[in-house]
Protein backbone atom coordinates (compact mmCIF):
# COMPACT_ATOMS: atom_id res chain seq x y z
CA UNK A 1 0.00 0.00 0.00
CA UNK A 2 1.06 3.54 -0.26
CA UNK A 3 1.57 6.87 1.47
CA UNK A 4 1.33 10.52 0.54
CA UNK A 5 4.70 12.25 0.97
CA UNK A 6 5.20 15.99 0.57
CA UNK A 7 7.23 17.07 -2.46
CA UNK A 8 9.26 19.35 -0.20
CA UNK A 9 10.41 16.41 1.87
CA UNK A 10 11.41 14.52 -1.27
CA UNK A 11 13.47 17.46 -2.52
CA UNK A 12 15.17 17.78 0.85
CA UNK A 13 16.05 14.10 0.82
CA UNK A 14 17.53 14.32 -2.69
CA UNK A 15 19.47 17.42 -1.67
CA UNK A 16 20.79 15.64 1.39
CA UNK A 17 21.79 12.66 -0.74
CA UNK A 18 23.94 14.92 -2.92
CA UNK A 19 25.58 16.79 -0.04
CA UNK A 20 25.90 14.07 2.56
CA UNK A 21 26.81 10.98 0.57
CA UNK A 22 29.15 9.84 3.32
CA UNK A 23 26.31 9.65 5.83
CA UNK A 24 24.79 6.55 4.26
CA UNK A 25 23.11 5.34 7.42
CA UNK A 26 21.29 8.66 7.83
CA UNK A 27 20.08 8.64 4.22
CA UNK A 28 19.06 5.01 4.49
CA UNK A 29 17.01 5.79 7.56
CA UNK A 30 15.28 8.72 5.87
CA UNK A 31 14.57 6.62 2.79
CA UNK A 32 13.05 3.86 4.89
CA UNK A 33 10.88 6.39 6.66
CA UNK A 34 9.57 7.63 3.34
CA UNK A 35 8.94 4.10 2.06
CA UNK A 36 7.16 3.13 5.24
CA UNK A 37 5.10 6.30 5.07
CA UNK A 38 4.13 5.41 1.51
CA UNK A 39 2.78 2.13 2.86
CA UNK A 40 0.89 3.76 5.71
CA UNK A 41 -0.80 7.00 4.72
CA UNK A 42 -2.47 5.91 1.49
CA UNK A 43 -4.12 3.26 3.65
CA UNK A 44 -5.83 6.20 5.34
CA UNK A 45 -7.09 7.62 2.03
CA UNK A 46 -10.83 7.32 1.41
CA UNK A 47 -10.86 8.61 -2.17
CA UNK A 48 -10.18 5.64 -4.43
CA UNK A 49 -9.62 7.74 -7.55
CA UNK A 50 -6.89 9.76 -5.85
CA UNK A 51 -5.03 6.56 -5.09
CA UNK A 52 -5.68 5.13 -8.55
CA UNK A 53 -4.21 8.20 -10.25
CA UNK A 54 -1.44 9.02 -7.80
CA UNK A 55 0.02 5.64 -6.90
CA UNK A 56 2.06 5.03 -10.11
CA UNK A 57 4.41 7.88 -9.16
CA UNK A 58 5.14 6.13 -5.90
CA UNK A 59 5.84 2.85 -7.68
CA UNK A 60 8.67 4.59 -9.50
CA UNK A 61 9.81 6.23 -6.27
CA UNK A 62 10.04 2.93 -4.41
CA UNK A 63 11.93 1.45 -7.36
CA UNK A 64 14.48 4.25 -7.06
CA UNK A 65 14.89 3.62 -3.33
CA UNK A 66 15.48 -0.09 -3.92
CA UNK A 67 17.89 0.67 -6.76
CA UNK A 68 20.02 2.52 -4.23
CA UNK A 69 19.75 -0.17 -1.55
CA UNK A 70 19.04 -3.47 -3.36
CA UNK A 71 19.56 -5.63 -0.27
CA UNK A 72 17.52 -3.59 2.17
CA UNK A 73 14.84 -5.96 3.45
CA UNK A 74 12.53 -3.22 4.73
CA UNK A 75 12.52 -1.43 1.38
CA UNK A 76 11.97 -4.66 -0.53
CA UNK A 77 9.02 -5.55 1.70
CA UNK A 78 7.57 -2.05 1.26
CA UNK A 79 8.02 -2.30 -2.51
CA UNK A 80 6.32 -5.68 -2.66
CA UNK A 81 3.34 -4.41 -0.69
CA UNK A 82 3.05 -1.28 -2.82
CA UNK A 83 3.13 -3.11 -6.15
CA UNK A 84 0.91 -5.94 -4.93
CA UNK A 85 -1.78 -3.70 -3.51
CA UNK A 86 -1.91 -1.42 -6.54
CA UNK A 87 -2.00 -4.36 -8.96
CA UNK A 88 -4.76 -6.18 -7.09
CA UNK A 89 -7.00 -3.23 -6.37
CA UNK A 90 -6.65 -0.83 -9.29
CA UNK A 91 -5.33 -2.57 -12.40
CA UNK A 92 -7.90 -4.04 -14.79
CA UNK A 93 -5.63 -4.68 -17.78
CA UNK A 94 -4.53 -8.36 -17.55
CA UNK A 95 -1.11 -7.85 -19.12
CA UNK A 96 -0.33 -4.93 -16.84
CA UNK A 97 -1.57 -6.82 -13.79
CA UNK A 98 0.80 -9.66 -14.64
CA UNK A 99 3.77 -7.31 -14.94
CA UNK A 100 3.07 -5.46 -11.70
CA UNK A 101 2.26 -8.58 -9.68
CA UNK A 102 5.50 -10.08 -10.95
CA UNK A 103 7.42 -7.08 -9.61
CA UNK A 104 5.69 -7.53 -6.24
CA UNK A 105 6.67 -11.19 -6.17
CA UNK A 106 10.26 -10.46 -7.17
CA UNK A 107 10.68 -7.89 -4.41
CA UNK A 108 9.20 -10.25 -1.81
CA UNK A 109 11.44 -13.12 -2.90
CA UNK A 110 14.49 -10.86 -2.78
CA UNK A 111 13.59 -9.78 0.76
CA UNK A 112 13.21 -13.41 1.79
CA UNK A 113 16.51 -14.31 0.15
CA UNK A 114 18.38 -11.55 1.96
CA UNK A 115 16.87 -12.65 5.27
CA UNK A 116 17.23 -16.41 4.67
CA UNK A 117 19.93 -16.90 2.07
CA UNK A 118 20.22 -20.67 2.51
CA UNK A 119 16.52 -21.07 1.73
CA UNK A 120 16.51 -18.64 -1.19
CA UNK A 121 15.62 -21.22 -3.85
CA UNK A 122 13.10 -23.22 -1.84
CA UNK A 123 10.21 -22.08 -4.08
CA UNK A 124 11.66 -24.33 -6.80
CA UNK A 125 11.36 -27.45 -4.62
CA UNK A 126 8.60 -30.01 -4.94
CA UNK A 127 5.80 -29.48 -2.45
CA UNK A 128 6.84 -32.08 0.22
CA UNK A 129 10.38 -30.66 0.36
CA UNK A 130 9.06 -27.10 0.25
CA UNK A 131 6.81 -27.80 3.24
CA UNK A 132 9.72 -29.33 5.12
CA UNK A 133 11.90 -26.28 4.55
CA UNK A 134 9.17 -24.02 5.93
CA UNK A 135 9.65 -25.73 9.27
CA UNK A 136 13.15 -24.24 9.47
CA UNK A 137 11.71 -20.75 9.66
CA UNK A 138 11.28 -18.94 12.97
CA UNK A 139 9.04 -16.22 14.32
CA UNK A 140 11.54 -13.57 13.29
CA UNK A 141 11.01 -14.57 9.66
CA UNK A 142 7.25 -13.96 9.66
CA UNK A 143 7.28 -10.48 8.07
CA UNK A 144 9.22 -11.61 5.01
CA UNK A 145 7.43 -14.97 4.81
CA UNK A 146 3.96 -13.45 4.96
CA UNK A 147 4.84 -10.73 2.45
CA UNK A 148 6.11 -13.43 0.10
CA UNK A 149 2.89 -15.41 0.49
CA UNK A 150 0.70 -12.37 -0.15
CA UNK A 151 2.70 -11.39 -3.25
CA UNK A 152 2.61 -14.97 -4.53
CA UNK A 153 -1.18 -15.10 -4.08
CA UNK A 154 -1.48 -11.84 -6.04
CA UNK A 155 0.78 -13.24 -8.75
CA UNK A 156 -1.50 -16.27 -9.09
CA UNK A 157 -4.60 -14.04 -9.08
CA UNK A 158 -3.23 -12.27 -12.16
CA UNK A 159 -2.75 -15.62 -13.93
CA UNK A 160 -5.93 -17.57 -13.27
CA UNK A 161 -5.88 -19.11 -16.76
CA UNK A 162 -2.33 -20.46 -16.28
CA UNK A 163 -2.48 -23.94 -14.76
CA UNK A 164 1.21 -23.81 -13.89
CA UNK A 165 0.48 -20.76 -11.75
CA UNK A 166 -2.60 -22.39 -10.21
CA UNK A 167 -0.41 -25.35 -9.28
CA UNK A 168 1.48 -23.06 -6.85
CA UNK A 169 -1.60 -22.56 -4.64
CA UNK A 170 -0.64 -25.40 -2.24
CA UNK A 171 2.69 -23.67 -1.59
CA UNK A 172 0.95 -20.37 -0.84
CA UNK A 173 -1.41 -22.17 1.53
CA UNK A 174 1.59 -23.80 3.22
CA UNK A 175 3.21 -20.38 3.69
CA UNK A 176 0.07 -19.03 5.31
CA UNK A 177 -0.30 -22.08 7.57
CA UNK A 178 3.31 -21.66 8.70
CA UNK A 179 2.67 -17.96 9.35
CA UNK A 180 -0.28 -18.92 11.58
CA UNK A 181 1.89 -21.45 13.41
CA UNK A 182 4.64 -18.91 14.03
CA UNK A 183 2.44 -15.92 14.89
CA UNK A 184 -1.34 -16.52 14.87
CA UNK A 185 -2.13 -12.82 15.30
CA UNK A 186 0.08 -11.55 12.50
CA UNK A 187 -1.57 -8.78 10.49
CA UNK A 188 -4.69 -9.12 12.68
CA UNK A 189 -5.53 -12.50 11.18
CA UNK A 190 -4.38 -11.78 7.63
CA UNK A 191 -2.96 -15.26 7.09
CA UNK A 192 -6.22 -16.85 8.26
CA UNK A 193 -8.11 -14.61 5.83
CA UNK A 194 -5.98 -15.81 2.92
CA UNK A 195 -6.49 -19.41 4.01
CA UNK A 196 -10.23 -18.82 4.11
CA UNK A 197 -10.21 -17.55 0.54
CA UNK A 198 -7.82 -20.22 -0.75
CA UNK A 199 -9.93 -23.00 0.73
CA UNK A 200 -13.06 -21.52 -0.88
CA UNK A 201 -11.82 -21.49 -4.46
CA UNK A 202 -13.21 -24.92 -5.34
CA UNK A 203 -16.40 -26.80 -4.40
CA UNK A 204 -15.99 -29.95 -2.26
CA UNK A 205 -16.42 -32.22 -5.29
CA UNK A 206 -13.28 -30.69 -6.81
CA UNK A 207 -11.16 -30.68 -3.66
CA UNK A 208 -12.37 -27.52 -1.96
CA UNK A 209 -12.64 -27.42 1.81
CA UNK A 210 -15.49 -25.07 2.72
CA UNK A 211 -15.62 -26.21 6.37
CA UNK A 212 -11.97 -25.29 6.82
CA UNK A 213 -12.57 -22.06 4.93
CA UNK A 214 -15.40 -21.10 7.30
CA UNK A 215 -13.22 -21.81 10.34
CA UNK A 216 -10.39 -19.67 8.97
CA UNK A 217 -12.73 -16.77 8.16
CA UNK A 218 -14.18 -16.92 11.68
CA UNK A 219 -10.69 -16.97 13.21
CA UNK A 220 -9.71 -13.96 11.11
CA UNK A 221 -12.80 -12.03 12.20
CA UNK A 222 -12.14 -12.81 15.85
CA UNK A 223 -8.53 -11.66 15.64
CA UNK A 224 -9.40 -8.51 13.70
CA UNK A 225 -12.31 -7.49 15.97
CA UNK A 226 -14.24 -5.73 13.21
CA UNK A 227 -11.56 -3.33 11.99
CA UNK A 228 -11.01 -4.72 8.48
CA UNK A 229 -14.32 -4.72 6.57
CA UNK A 230 -12.73 -6.57 3.67
CA UNK A 231 -12.76 -9.74 5.75
CA UNK A 232 -16.56 -9.89 5.73
CA UNK A 233 -16.74 -8.93 2.07
CA UNK A 234 -14.43 -11.80 1.12
CA UNK A 235 -16.23 -14.16 3.51
CA UNK A 236 -19.46 -13.44 1.65
CA UNK A 237 -17.94 -13.48 -1.81
CA UNK A 238 -15.99 -16.70 -1.48
CA UNK A 239 -17.52 -18.85 1.25
CA UNK A 240 -21.19 -17.83 1.39
CA UNK A 241 -21.54 -17.99 -2.37
CA UNK A 242 -19.69 -21.30 -2.55
CA UNK A 243 -22.16 -22.96 -0.16
CA UNK A 244 -25.17 -20.96 -1.47
CA UNK A 245 -25.94 -19.41 1.90
CA UNK A 246 -27.79 -16.22 0.99
CA UNK A 247 -28.70 -15.33 4.58
CA UNK A 248 -25.02 -15.32 5.58
CA UNK A 249 -24.03 -13.59 2.33
CA UNK A 250 -26.46 -10.70 2.71
CA UNK A 251 -25.93 -10.33 6.46
CA UNK A 252 -22.16 -10.04 6.08
CA UNK A 253 -22.41 -7.52 3.26
CA UNK A 254 -24.96 -5.38 5.09
CA UNK A 255 -22.65 -5.35 8.11
CA UNK A 256 -19.86 -4.12 5.84
CA UNK A 257 -22.02 -1.29 4.52
CA UNK A 258 -23.03 -0.31 8.06
CA UNK A 259 -19.46 -0.48 9.33
CA UNK A 260 -17.08 2.41 9.92
CA UNK A 261 -14.66 2.73 7.01
CA UNK A 262 -12.51 5.34 8.76
CA UNK A 263 -10.07 3.12 10.64
CA UNK A 264 -6.41 4.02 11.06
CA UNK A 265 -4.39 2.10 8.50
CA UNK A 266 -7.46 0.49 6.93
CA UNK A 267 -9.52 3.32 5.47
CA UNK A 268 -8.57 2.54 1.86
CA UNK A 269 -9.18 -1.18 2.33
CA UNK A 270 -12.53 -0.56 4.00
CA UNK A 271 -13.62 1.84 1.28
CA UNK A 272 -12.81 -0.80 -1.32
CA UNK A 273 -14.66 -3.40 0.77
CA UNK A 274 -17.80 -1.28 0.88
CA UNK A 275 -17.65 -0.61 -2.86
CA UNK A 276 -17.41 -4.35 -3.56
CA UNK A 277 -20.13 -5.15 -1.00
CA UNK A 278 -22.58 -2.91 -2.85
CA UNK A 279 -21.87 -4.76 -6.10
CA UNK A 280 -22.26 -8.19 -4.50
CA UNK A 281 -25.52 -7.25 -2.80
CA UNK A 282 -26.91 -5.90 -6.06
CA UNK A 283 -26.21 -9.30 -7.66
CA UNK A 284 -27.54 -11.34 -4.74
CA UNK A 285 -31.03 -12.08 -6.05
CA UNK A 286 -29.69 -13.22 -9.41
CA UNK A 287 -26.89 -15.32 -7.90
CA UNK A 288 -29.04 -17.17 -5.39
Amino acid sequence: MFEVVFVKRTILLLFATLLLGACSSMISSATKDMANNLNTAILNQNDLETVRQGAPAYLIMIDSFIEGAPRDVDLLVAGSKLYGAYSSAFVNDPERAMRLSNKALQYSQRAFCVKRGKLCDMHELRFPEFEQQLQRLERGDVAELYTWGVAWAGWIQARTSDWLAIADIPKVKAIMRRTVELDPGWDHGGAQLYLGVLNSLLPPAMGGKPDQARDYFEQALELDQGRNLMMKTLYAQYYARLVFNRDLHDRLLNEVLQGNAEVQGLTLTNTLAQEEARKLLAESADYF
Side-chain angles (χ1 to χ4, degrees):
M1 313 184 160
F2 339 95
E3 167 120 347
V4 178
V5 176
F6 292 114
V7 173
K8 181 178 179 181
R9 184 177 178 187
T10 304
I11 293 173
L12 286 173
L13 178 62
L14 294 174
F15 182 71
T17 303
L18 291 172
L19 293 183
L20 304 174
C23 301
S24 59
S25 62
M26 182 184 299
I27 299 304
S28 176
S29 176
T31 300
K32 287 181 185 179
D33 286 345
M34 290 183 69
N36 288 331
N37 288 341
L38 284 171
N39 281 345
T40 301
I42 280 203
L43 287 176
N44 294 321
Q45 174 62 253
N46 63 7
D47 187 281
L48 302 183
E49 194 59 31
T50 295
V51 178
R52 184 178 285 109
Q53 293 184 19
Y58 298 117
L59 297 178
I60 297 173
M61 183 182 291
I62 198 74
D63 284 341
S64 71
F65 292 161
I66 293 173
E67 189 71 22
R71 292 182 58 81
D72 190 297
V73 172
D74 292 338
L75 288 177
L76 289 166
V77 166
S80 177
K81 290 179 178 180
L82 182 63
Y83 268 93
Y86 181 72
S87 174
S88 297
F90 296 109
V91 177
N92 296 320
D93 176 52
E95 292 295 324
R96 193 161 170 248
M98 285 194 285
R99 289 196 301 271
L100 296 177
S101 64
N102 192 58
K103 179 67 77 71
L105 182 59
Q106 287 178 349
Y107 279 160
S108 68
Q109 287 178 331
R110 283 169 58 182
F112 184 80
C113 285
V114 173
K115 185 73 177 291
R116 280 287 198 165
K118 292 183 179 180
L119 300 178
C120 187
D121 297 325
M122 62 181 284
H123 61 281
E124 299 177 357
L125 298 173
R126 294 183 178 181
F127 181 72
E129 290 79 16
F130 177 85
E131 201 167 29
Q132 288 177 0
Q133 293 302 313
L134 284 176
Q135 296 304 310
R136 297 176 58 184
L137 299 176
E138 301 172 351
R139 187 167 183 173
D141 301 313
V142 167
E144 296 76 27
L145 178 65
Y146 178 68
T147 300
W148 181 23
V150 170
W152 204 344
W155 183 87
I156 294 170
Q157 180 186 5
R159 293 161 176 80
T160 52
S161 60
D162 182 348
W163 285 103
L164 290 176
I166 298 298
D168 285 341
I169 288 178
K171 290 183 177 179
V172 177
K173 291 169 72 172
I175 286 175
M176 294 304 174
R177 287 196 299 269
R178 185 58 178 152
T179 298
V180 172
E181 290 172 358
L182 292 169
D183 191 340
W186 186 262
D187 194 27
H188 301 282
Q192 289 89 336
L193 177 63
Y194 273 91
L195 286 166
V197 171
L198 291 169
N199 281 291
S200 301
L201 295 178
L202 297 172
M206 298 180 65
K209 299 179 179 179
D211 290 343
Q212 288 188 16
R214 181 195 61 230
D215 291 343
Y216 280 125
F217 277 120
E218 290 294 337
Q219 290 171 29
L221 290 175
E222 182 177 355
L223 287 165
D224 181 67
Q225 297 184 338
R227 299 168 64 254
N228 186 348
L229 300 179
M230 187 63 77
M231 289 187 172
K232 290 185 177 180
T233 298
L234 294 176
Y235 194 179
Q237 180 179 2
Y238 286 94
Y239 174 79
R241 289 195 169 201
L242 177 67
V243 299
F244 289 94
N245 188 335
R246 183 176 181 179
D247 289 342
L248 176 63
H249 178 271
D250 290 359
R251 175 176 64 79
L252 288 168
L253 295 176
N254 280 305
E255 288 175 1
V256 170
L257 294 178
Q258 295 165 11
N260 178 23
E262 302 285 334
V263 177
Q264 178 66 25
L266 286 167
T267 301
L268 177 65
T269 300
N270 288 342
T271 303
L272 284 166
Q274 290 182 332
E275 182 180 83
E276 185 64 21
R278 291 187 189 94
K279 295 177 183 177
L280 294 172
L281 267 178
E283 301 168 354
S284 183
D286 292 333
Y287 187 88
F288 293 99

